[in-house]
Amino acid sequence: MPISLGELATQFGCELIGDPDVVVNGVASLSGAAPDSLSFLSNVALKDQLRTTKAGAVILRAADADASPVASLIHDDPYACYARMAAVVCPPAVVEPGIHASAVVAESARVADSAQIAANVVVGDRSVIGESVFLGPGTVVGPDCTVGDECRLIANVTLARSVVMGVRGILHPGVVIGADGFGNAMTPEGWVKVPQLGGVRIGDDVEIGANSTVDCGALDDTVIEDGVRIDNLCMIAHNVRIGAHTALAAMVGIAGSTTIGKRCLFAGKGGAVGHITVCDDVIVAARTFLSKDVVKPGTYAASFPATDAKSWARQLARFRRLGDLIDRVKKLEKGGD
Amino acid sequence: MPISLGELATQFGCELIGDPDVVVNGVASLSGAAPDSLSFLSNVALKDQLRTTKAGAVILRAADADASPVASLIHDDPYACYARMAAVVCPPAVVEPGIHASAVVAESARVADSAQIAANVVVGDRSVIGESVFLGPGTVVGPDCTVGDECRLIANVTLARSVVMGVRGILHPGVVIGADGFGNAMTPEGWVKVPQLGGVRIGDDVEIGANSTVDCGALDDTVIEDGVRIDNLCMIAHNVRIGAHTALAAMVGIAGSTTIGKRCLFAGKGGAVGHITVCDDVIVAARTFLSKDVVKPGTYAASFPATDAKSWARQLARFRRLGDLIDRVKKLEKGGD
Amino acid sequence: MPISLGELATQFGCELIGDPDVVVNGVASLSGAAPDSLSFLSNVALKDQLRTTKAGAVILRAADADASPVASLIHDDPYACYARMAAVVCPPAVVEPGIHASAVVAESARVADSAQIAANVVVGDRSVIGESVFLGPGTVVGPDCTVGDECRLIANVTLARSVVMGVRGILHPGVVIGADGFGNAMTPEGWVKVPQLGGVRIGDDVEIGANSTVDCGALDDTVIEDGVRIDNLCMIAHNVRIGAHTALAAMVGIAGSTTIGKRCLFAGKGGAVGHITVCDDVIVAARTFLSKDVVKPGTYAASFPATDAKSWARQLARFRRLGDLIDRVKKLEKGGD
């Protein structure tokens, strides 16, 4: 959407150095930008690219403005400012109210007039679809769900049943919310399924990546608090609670009944075992799992980065012979007595 | 579904201490229970919650009955008994026979009159849908599949082709069964796809979690035996066999042509490499993978729980210098000669 | 499809030892083959099975022909030759041109006459579907996508938007391409979504396994080059580039902005952190992740295979006391001075 630098500066509280009437109509990286592109400099390692950019304007810190050959929008946090401006310059697809002829909506469901229900969507009994919601093609909303205003379920999303979403949520394709948790009781005749009867409660402004799953609770609800961000192929088990503004990168798994605090960060393939409590402001490194309660904010790690395979084989052999080494040291200690 | 304590005691072989005419109509945890709720005490750590519960009745062991302020249903295994009673008190949705107008069923397919084919379901050529089956919205059953009586495919499930399921199976949303295995032959011109021509055979009483995948066999079938439980986002590769009553927690991966025994348990993110055989009654710890045949029942592990990142960095550095340490000990040993 | 050994030998450049008029009409393993089956011997460990096979013909190396009791098709690479012949003997389902009545195709989309659009497919605005493409049931092609000639999207696949696929690609059920990357800027008010505006470009002859995800780029495109093979439940983050003929086994994750070279192999659950560059011809062992640039072709590893849990507990304790051991050796060294 075309917008002038003057309007952007006013709307987002930036100082503008340059012509307020210049119009941008797209966003781009510094090196890929054209004269109608808005760009940004956040990582100072890219400052060289700033000097030669052809962007219409660059969002940057005051300290970097001197190096800009083009108009500058000054902001203390150029990346966050860029994120907000980009949503204006390149807005998401407009919701086109109405229910597609191929969609199947239960009689007992309630769909706001301003919502868009796309082709082949199914909405189940007693579910409520809020204002300006977008239910993308192939999406299935099971019974007893609530989808808050302005949520977007992109395509082929499944809310199994009893899922309550706050406002402005985004669920990417293939996401499954509210499927049964993994509850089984062993008996002499084999596993007996433990009925999973809770639901899922999702706060406002939550985004969940493609093919991630959030199971319903066994008796109580699984809870995702406001502002949580979950990447692709993550697994949130039954009765988990994820604190507000926590972010989980791809392929993270949180096992059943675990509580994760607010503003935590899990890097890719990280996770936590079940039935533990993790305090606020915990960072978990890539491929690291928490095995017990965490009561102290900070960064936690336990992974081995790759090395060449021959060195690794030697290293693994040494590791396995640690007991021998300890015995040898003991022997030396005795000999030295 | 409302049911009296007397009926429950009779149906499930419990001793009842209390009024047989009291009716329960839901289940709940000890602390969350109302007077019409059935609850249970399995984990003795929760015994304090028993003393103050407001449940209509509690399933518990004889030894705990004295502490119950309400009616008691006595059972040696309260959790399994609860699982079975909960399925009666809170039964799954009733199957409503019929084929939705929006479903597309191939002429050569056979669908039992008692089956429910929901909105936007597709059933392919020559497939057979058994009695009281539920095919949920958006589910695709490809050609040459058999779905046994009373199976429930919740929503957006895909059986690609040549999948044979026994009775009473449950497939959660996003599950994909029978997609091609990962078979590729390297040539000077690049990879050549190896046609994947086998099917998948699934036994009775198998439950598979959201977004898990079970590939078809290359030539023979991939096999999931009776009573297997698979959690979300698991991967079962081509030509794997999973023994009866084995349970795989979330994000477990079993590589191609591996055979897993009966009653094995894999914790989250565990797995096994390809072309190995694992005996019955093997337990695999979280994030642990089996790299060779296992012939002895028992528990296997190999994972490092998280520690604070600074300690981990030191620990990792020590690990990498193990060779130096061994050399130093050798030198000491020589010096001591 | 029935075909004579003579035709196979001619078409694929094999020497035939045996009757050229014998017809095969299926493929099978050596031990499972019937007289109308084509089989192969690639792994010499199976040579015993060759001696008793009942196959109509066996593809094998010249050196193994003496041991064959049946007709032999001689080839230097029997597995690759088998892969190619099997695709002729057991061809994939024929594409039946036409758009199913239940499919919903945008007016601005273009679908080749030879393409098959199956039941409940949705094709979005301005998307282009090439010659002989198969869009399987439940597949959603969002706006601004191009699906090259002869691609097969098996079922319930989602191309979110702006995905360009080359020719002959195969996407298995549940695959999601072009969903938003995980871009978030932290602010005092919580995460701000960074609009994901790039697309995904996929080369020719790419196959992607069930429930894998490839995110769109933030500004530029995510790129999968020609001939890449990706197994199930893999995650390719935004702005990644995967080099030609690289293969990723199941559950591999490649974090954002990383470039992987050509002809690399990642074993199951392997991966790479973000913002690194990996050269051509790198092999990554199971459950191993690359944490920095790789400039030298070769094999990289860093995983611990399972051991029995008691031994592991001891080993883990020894590992944690490495600092003590080093101190003790230091003390011995000092004492020995």
Side-chain angles (χ1 to χ4, degrees), chain C residues 30 41 43-52 63-64 67:
Chain C
L30 287 167
L41 174 69
N43 178 353
V44 289
L46 302 179
K47 201 157 174 180
D48 274 358
Q49 295 184 14
L50 173 64
R51 294 180 215 279
T52 56
D64 296 317

Side-chain angles (χ1 to χ4, degrees), chain C residues 121-165:
Chain C
V121 167
V122 178
V123 179
D125 287 326
R126 298 169 300 279
S127 284
V128 177
I129 310 299
E131 298 290 341
S132 302
V133 164
F134 175 72
L135 298 186
T139 291
V140 173
V141 175
D144 302 302
C145 294
T146 298
V147 180
D149 297 348
E150 298 178 47
C151 281
R152 286 184 282 154
L153 282 58
I154 305 300
N156 278 334
V157 170
T158 306
L159 308 187
R161 57 159 197 80
S162 306
V163 176
V164 175
M165 292 184 67

Side-chain angles (χ1 to χ4, degrees), chain A residues 47-95:
Chain A
K47 201 157 174 182
D48 274 357
Q49 296 185 16
L50 173 63
R51 294 182 214 277
T52 56
T53 190
K54 295 188 163 48
V58 177
I59 310 160
L60 39 63
R61 291 181 200 84
D64 296 318
D66 282 355
S68 174
V70 299
S72 296
L73 289 154
I74 310 293
H75 197 279
D76 284 347
D77 186 344
Y79 189 51
C81 182
Y82 162 75
R84 290 182 166 125
M85 286 189 182
V88 169
V89 178
C90 303
V94 174
V95 173

Side-chain angles (χ1 to χ4, degrees), chain A residues 27 82-84 120 156 172 207 211 229 232-233 245 251 269 287 304-307 309 312 319-320 323 333, chain C residues 120 158 174 184 189 191 193 197 211 213 215 219 233 235 251 269-270 289 291 299-303 315 328:
Chain A
V27 297
Y82 162 75
R84 290 182 166 125
N120 293 335
N156 279 333
H172 289 289
E207 182 167 356
N211 284 347
R229 300 298 159 105
N232 297 6
L233 290 165
H245 307 296
M251 298 174 143
K269 296 211 172 184
R287 291 178 182 247
F304 292 82
T307 184
W312 181 256
F319 172 79
R320 283 176 168 151
E333 286 170 335
Chain C
N120 293 336
T158 306
N184 298 286
E189 297 81 43
W191 297 107
K193 178 179 175 69
L197 302 164
N211 284 348
T213 68
D215 282 352
L219 285 169
L233 290 167
M235 161 58 176
M251 297 174 143
K269 295 211 173 183
F289 76 107
S291 64
T299 303
Y300 294 80
S303 63
Q315 199 69 354
R328 285 158 66 186

Side-chain angles (χ1 to χ4, degrees), chain B residues 16 49 112 120 129 136 146 168 191 199 209 232 252 268 276 305 307 327:
Chain B
L16 170 65
Q49 294 185 16
N120 293 337
I129 309 300
T146 298
R168 292 179 302 272
W191 295 107
N232 297 7
V252 164
I276 65 170
T307 185
D327 289 346

Side-chain angles (χ1 to χ4, degrees), chain B residues 38 55 83 96 128 140 144 152 170 177 194 200 207 219 228 241 289 320 337:
Chain B
L38 177 68
E96 299 175 2
V128 177
V140 173
D144 302 303
R152 285 183 284 153
I170 302 176
I177 314 280
V194 180
V200 179
E207 182 167 356
L219 286 168
V228 167
R241 173 179 285 264
F289 76 107
R320 284 177 166 150
D337 280 351

Side-chain angles (χ1 to χ4, degrees), chain A residues 102-330:
Chain A
S102 64
V104 177
V105 178
E107 277 191 37
S108 57
R110 293 207 326 262
V111 178
D113 288 346
S114 58
Q116 177 177 359
I117 312 297
N120 293 335
V121 167
V122 178
V123 179
D125 287 325
R126 298 169 300 280
S127 285
V128 177
I129 309 300
E131 299 291 340
S132 302
V133 164
F134 174 73
L135 298 186
T139 291
V140 173
V141 175
D144 302 303
C145 294
T146 298
V147 180
D149 296 349
E150 298 179 47
C151 281
R152 286 184 282 153
L153 283 58
I154 304 299
N156 279 333
V157 170
T158 306
L159 307 188
R161 58 159 197 81
S162 306
V163 177
V164 176
M165 292 183 68
V167 299
R168 293 179 301 272
I170 302 176
L171 302 184
H172 289 289
V175 164
V176 176
I177 314 279
D180 280 358
F182 198 58
N184 298 286
M186 188 33 104
T187 73
E189 297 81 42
W191 296 107
V192 174
K193 179 180 176 67
V194 179
Q196 301 292 300
L197 303 163
V200 179
R201 278 182 292 135
I202 296 179
D204 296 338
D205 300 297
V206 169
E207 182 167 356
I208 301 183
N211 284 347
S212 286
T213 70
V214 181
D215 281 354
C216 72
L219 286 168
D220 302 319
D221 292 339
T222 304
V223 178
I224 313 286
E225 296 183 0
D226 291 348
V228 166
R229 300 298 159 105
I230 299 177
D231 198 356
N232 297 6
L233 290 165
C234 290
M235 161 58 174
I236 311 296
H238 51 183
N239 298 102
V240 165
R241 173 180 284 265
I242 308 283
H245 307 296
T246 280
L248 311 180
M251 298 174 143
V252 164
I254 308 294
S257 300
T258 280
T259 295
I260 306 290
K262 298 182 198 304
R263 295 174 305 276
C264 294
L265 298 175
F266 282 68
K269 296 211 172 184
V273 302
H275 297 275
I276 65 171
T277 299
V278 177
C279 66
D280 298 343
D281 300 302
V282 165
I283 297 174
V284 178
R287 291 178 182 247
T288 293
F289 76 107
L290 303 174
S291 65
K292 54 187 181 185
D293 287 356
V294 178
V295 297
K296 198 179 154 189
T299 302
Y300 294 80
S303 63
F304 292 82
T307 184
D308 74 279
K310 277 187 191 168
S311 302
W312 181 256
R314 280 196 299 271
Q315 199 68 352
L316 190 56
R318 285 175 193 136
F319 172 79
R320 283 176 168 151
R321 289 195 307 259
L322 262 181
D324 293 342
L325 187 65
I326 291 167
D327 289 347
R328 284 158 66 186
V329 171
K330 265 187 207 158

Side-chain angles (χ1 to χ4, degrees), chain C residues 18-92:
Chain C
D19 179 354
D21 294 332
V22 165
V23 167
V24 289
N25 193 19
V27 297
S29 60
L30 287 167
S31 60
D36 66 347
S37 303
L38 176 67
S39 191
F40 69 101
L41 174 69
S42 176
N43 178 353
V44 289
L46 302 179
K47 201 157 174 180
D48 274 358
Q49 295 184 14
L50 173 64
R51 294 180 215 279
T52 56
T53 189
K54 295 188 161 50
V58 177
I59 310 160
L60 39 64
R61 291 181 199 85
D64 296 317
D66 282 355
S68 173
V70 298
S72 295
L73 288 154
I74 311 292
H75 198 279
D76 285 347
D77 185 344
Y79 189 52
C81 182
Y82 162 76
R84 290 181 165 125
M85 286 188 181
V88 170
V89 179
C90 302

